[in-house]
Amino acid sequence: MISRKHLGFTLSIIAIPWLSMFFIGKHSIRRYSLAGIFIIIFEIINHLYGHQRKW
């Protein structure tokens, strides 16, 4: 079982980038969304390949 400190740290790592989207303009979100989608797809493929190779 994870400790409260670890859980709080993990949730803050997830929440802080999402909260920063309020300060970014709508134009910037649309501008970088394609690159973000590409990175997500690449990392999913990377994870699946690494899991298959037991890395």
Side-chain angles (χ1 to χ4, degrees), residues 19-31:
L19 292 174
S20 68
M21 288 187 63
F22 292 118
F23 303 108
I24 300 173
K26 191 175 184 180
H27 176 71
S28 295
I29 291 172
R30 276 194 297 205
R31 181 178 180 185

Side-chain angles (χ1 to χ4, degrees), residues 22-46:
F22 292 118
F23 303 108
I24 300 173
K26 191 175 184 180
H27 176 71
S28 295
I29 291 172
R30 276 194 297 205
R31 181 178 180 185
Y32 297 113
S33 64
L34 184 62
I37 292 170
F38 175 75
I39 290 169
I40 289 169
I41 292 170
F42 179 77
E43 287 300 321
I44 288 171
I45 293 169
N46 191 19

